Amino acid sequence: MGPIKIGIVGVGKIVRDQHLPALAKDQSYRLIAAASRHGRVDDIANFPSIEAMLDAVPELDAVSLCMPPQFRYDAARTALIAKKHVFLEKPPGATVSEVEDLKRLATANGVSLFASWHSRYAPAVEAARAFLASAKVKSAAINWKEDVRRWHPNQDWIWAPGGFGVFDPGINALSIATHILPAMFITSAVLDFPENRAAPVAAQVVFRTSNGLPVTMDLDWLQTGPQSWDILAETDAGKMVLSGGGAKLSIDGKIVHDEPEAEYPMLYRRFAEIVRAGVSDVDLAPLQHVADAFMLGKRNVVEAFFD
Amino acid sequence: MGPIKIGIVGVGKIVRDQHLPALAKDQSYRLIAAASRHGRVDDIANFPSIEAMLDAVPELDAVSLCMPPQFRYDAARTALIAKKHVFLEKPPGATVSEVEDLKRLATANGVSLFASWHSRYAPAVEAARAFLASAKVKSAAINWKEDVRRWHPNQDWIWAPGGFGVFDPGINALSIATHILPAMFITSAVLDFPENRAAPVAAQVVFRTSNGLPVTMDLDWLQTGPQSWDILAETDAGKMVLSGGGAKLSIDGKIVHDEPEAEYPMLYRRFAEIVRAGVSDVDLAPLQHVADAFMLGKRNVVEAFFD
């Protein structure tokens, strides 16, 4: 079986920073086309739309969809019906129900669908999962505090309805937490909406695990200075700190795992694996928690936000 | 097998209006206990909490949980762990994830869980489903407009975070629509929040079915005069109107189905059926759409609401 001939759709910052370098180094793929309204990729065929790309390059096996979530369903549907394997950037859609629909379409068309959660592939996540599986957890806390002006400058779509706001980074935290902690659900939430924006800039969420343990999540998008992407757990085997967005693991202050980050290379390795195996990989738990937070959460209106 | 010995928890308006009359007429049940902070049921044992009821009446086979959704999970968990079958009033919980957790608990404890959707058992719903399955649908519209002051006077919980607001009746519409229409998902929504309330008083929601058909939903809680609980569909076999909350079906203006309502008796018949069969019946599609609407929807602030 030759390399997977892949096209990329929605050429923005995440594609240039992560997808292109990961694909360039992976022998399982050959990037042969791109489709984007504004961006382009050098040295391959570029098209204004996914429809134009699929028409002109029928030999494509797969597509990676990296446009904002509000526009992902239509492109995914088009690709799945054309029998292309589909890699969805996170979040996989603007609603849970639409991704359920894409799962049905993928199965009906005999192709693979991948709802990618890059933070799950951070270097120390599996070590944290193994530690928590062997210990008795008493409580956990997710602290995800970053400066939106630094990480998402002038990205208006992220503040639009369906743009998730601070849950855009928060869903990364949830993709790790739902992988390493027991099943949990939200019992209360407070979401802070800037008075001039349709998405929250901060959120405090309280979860409970099935066996009654408390898990808190504190999301803040106005954190200047040091940035925090940490999951902490109190356990009978010591205090676990998974920091740097899953990069580094320490137990009782002692670093036990610290390796260089390779999230997107691992995502593409996983995608190749499910394509070869003829299966899909679509875990919606992180997105489900975000929807639940919006449904259950109390809304505060806070100071206007300007980039 | 004798009658199912059942206890009822959360004795309020819906219990007095619907559950007690339905149980009184059904030979499959014997109502032997009730638990409620404020309400009580005559001629049976009454308790201040579900815990006290389960302790004092160990012969209970099943419980019906009718408290507000924000408090339903704890009671359901307690009952399932005590190996009681559980009937959940609608909505089945305050989040989708917590009901998923209850499904796992029911399976683990070998008892039945029923997420009841009473409007699905409205008299003309099955006839509408059969009609739409045999016709080619072009579009559909859900219009659910009622007077909250008339149907939910002074029910503060319904306006609290997690209380759903106008989606409390709206989820009835969704429980019918998801049963009679093809799979669908939300593409946009506008939710109107009174400036003094944490839940919406009106909503305009646009869905699309998997095969691209438009479905609109218009929810309004300030409708005085005639009330509307209608689902309309344009089809190649005529215009379908399912009105009166699923009570009456007409095609091209001609009434084809109009029978007396018996929703709660049918719900309890269904619950007895799944208890006897040893299975659960938990369809979360209506609740999922509500969560998606809150996540994707644009929020408008509108005039304050006072009862």
Side-chain angles (χ1 to χ4, degrees), chain A residues 74 77 208 210 288 299, chain B residues 74 77 208 210 288 299:
Chain A
D74 281 326
R77 178 178 166 80
R208 205 168 54 179
S210 187
Q288 187 66 71
R299 283 159 192 75
Chain B
D74 282 325
R77 177 178 166 80
R208 204 169 54 177
S210 188
Q288 186 66 71
R299 283 159 192 75

Side-chain angles (χ1 to χ4, degrees), chain B residues 189-252:
Chain B
V190 179
L191 279 58
D192 293 342
F193 286 72
E195 61 180 23
N196 63 336
R197 301 287 182 165
V201 68
Q204 296 79 45
V205 184
V206 181
F207 294 84
R208 204 169 54 177
T209 66
S210 188
N211 48 350
L213 305 174
V215 178
T216 58
M217 178 165 80
D218 195 350
L219 305 179
D220 185 354
W221 233 359
L222 297 176
Q223 173 92 347
T224 53
Q227 311 280 288
S228 328
W229 298 285
D230 303 334
I231 299 179
L232 294 74
E234 298 286 348
T235 82
D236 65 345
K239 178 170 183 154
M240 183 203 86
V241 180
L242 178 64
S243 58
K248 188 154 63 166
L249 181 67
S250 73
I251 310 294
D252 283 336

Side-chain angles (χ1 to χ4, degrees), chain B residues 8-11 19 27 48 62 79 85 89 97 121 123 149 151 179 197 242 263 270 274 287 300 305-306:
Chain B
I8 211 152
V9 187
V11 179
H19 290 257
Q27 307 278 330
H85 307 291
E89 242 300 346
S97 302
Y121 293 83
R149 291 184 177 87
W151 302 101
H179 189 64
R197 301 287 182 165
L242 178 64
E263 294 177 11
R270 174 69 182 149
I274 69 169
L287 185 60
N300 277 338
F305 174 85
F306 300 98

Side-chain angles (χ1 to χ4, degrees), chain B residues 260-274:
Chain B
E261 181 271 308
E263 294 177 11
Y264 278 79
M266 289 184 72
L267 281 184
Y268 275 102
R269 192 184 310 167
R270 174 69 182 149
F271 184 47
E273 186 177 284
I274 69 169

Side-chain angles (χ1 to χ4, degrees), chain B residues 4 6 14 18-23 26 28-29 63-66 86-91 113-123 126 172 175 261-275 281:
Chain B
I4 297 166
I6 194 165
I14 191 76
Q18 298 288 353
H19 290 257
L20 297 181
L23 283 168
D26 193 326
S28 303
Y29 296 92
V63 295
S64 237
L65 303 183
C66 307
V86 172
F87 176 124
L88 298 169
E89 242 300 346
K90 66 106 234 204
L113 179 67
F114 184 34
S116 76
W117 299 110
H118 65 82
S119 294
R120 266 194 196 168
Y121 293 83
E126 288 305 321
N172 295 338
S175 72
E261 181 271 308
E263 294 177 11
Y264 278 79
M266 289 184 72
L267 281 184
Y268 275 102
R269 192 184 310 167
R270 174 69 182 149
F271 184 47
E273 186 177 284
I274 69 169
V275 167
D281 178 351

